Structures are given as C-alpha cells and as structure tokens.
Amino acid sequence: MILIISNEHDSVTDLFVDSIKKTGLGFFRLNTDILLTNSEFSFSINSNIPIHISQYGKLLDLSKIASVWYRRPIIPKTKIKSVVEKRFAEREIMATMDILWRILNKCFWVNSPWSIKDASNKFRQLQVACELGLQVPET
C-alpha cells in the first residue's frame, strides 16, 4: 500500500490519486493540513497492537504501508487565539508527525522529510561533497 502525504489543495496529488485509482493499487492519502480537525491517531510501542491513522473516518493500519510519497505537507492551521496555546498545539502536531515518519522509516520514501532537511542544509551538502571526494573550497 502507498501512503501519500500531502495537503487537500495540492492539484498534482489529485492527478496522481486519479491515476493510481486506475491501477488498482492500494493507497491512502493523508492530508496534513487537516490533522487537527479531521484525523485520529493510535500509536503504540507494543508491536502486537496495530498502529492506525484515521482521516475522514477512513482507517489505515500503518503496518500495511510499503512506500510513502511525501509531497508538500502543510502544518495544520489552528484557530487558537492564545500565542502560548497555539505554539503548544503546533509543537504537539509536529511531534506527532515526527512519530508517524519514524514509524514508517523502513518504508520506501519518495522525498523523505530527512532527505529534504539534509538537502536544504548547506553545511550538510558540503559534508557530503567532501565524503564523496569532491574538492570543496574553504568555507
């Protein structure tokens, strides 16, 4: 099964979903922009208990995921007025998303969040260039 991580308003993901429906492959689209309003999670350290995500009432057992397409996830917006409470809620949803990504770390990822983070870090890019034997100017 393919997990597609995106947002509700990504038209490219819409096109991909339309195409994948024609193939008969199993997939689940997880829209990160609605994680605070239309989603439920069930995480467990005990490997005998299934780990689930539910969005709009559609349930997904994460053990069924073989590959993940990570395309333009969006941090959900909150309607919380208090700055302190809003920051808390945002930190909690980021932690939840991080748990989810780590649970899926053995899957085949297209655009994993870790690779994206590494690719956007100039120091890490220079480290990899050195490791690969490229000459890097004094920086």
Side-chain angles (χ1 to χ4, degrees):
M1 170 147 330
I2 301 168
L3 176 62
I4 303 163
I5 301 172
S6 188
N7 67 79
E8 281 194 314
H9 308 289
D10 184 32
S11 59
V12 171
T13 299
D14 294 340
L15 292 171
F16 181 70
V17 165
D18 290 342
S19 294
I20 204 165
K21 283 179 182 176
K22 295 173 187 171
T23 68
L25 291 171
F27 73 93
F28 186 95
R29 180 174 179 168
L30 180 66
N31 294 311
T32 59
D33 51 323
I34 59 168
L35 288 177
L36 292 174
T37 55
N38 293 302
S39 306
E40 294 180 22
F41 301 88
S42 170
F43 298 138
S44 173
I45 300 301
N46 183 338
S47 62
N48 298 327
I49 300 172
I51 300 171
H52 292 100
I53 295 176
S54 174
Q55 201 163 72
Y56 289 125
K58 184 178 177 187
L59 188 66
L60 170 67
D61 179 348
L62 292 177
S63 69
K64 306 293 185 211
I65 300 298
S67 56
V68 181
W69 185 38
Y70 188 79
R71 177 177 162 76
R72 298 198 177 165
I74 295 175
I75 297 171
K77 303 274 189 259
T78 67
K79 295 181 180 180
I80 300 170
K81 300 292 183 208
S82 163
V83 173
V84 173
E85 291 174 5
K86 184 175 184 164
R87 284 187 187 145
F88 174 79
E90 289 171 349
R91 278 194 311 270
E92 289 299 306
I93 197 62
M94 292 299 293
T96 301
M97 289 169 50
D98 187 57
I99 290 167
L100 175 60
W101 309 160
R102 291 178 189 282
I103 289 169
L104 298 167
N105 72 340
K106 295 200 181 345
C107 296
F108 175 78
W109 281 75
V110 176
N111 300 333
S112 80
W114 308 284
S115 297
I116 292 169
K117 187 174 182 175
D118 279 352
S120 63
N121 182 305
K122 187 58 75 179
F123 184 76
R124 180 68 184 133
Q125 292 170 8
L126 293 172
Q127 276 185 312
V128 170
C130 286
E131 290 168 7
L132 293 173
L134 298 174
Q135 290 186 343
V136 177
E138 280 298 313
T139 306

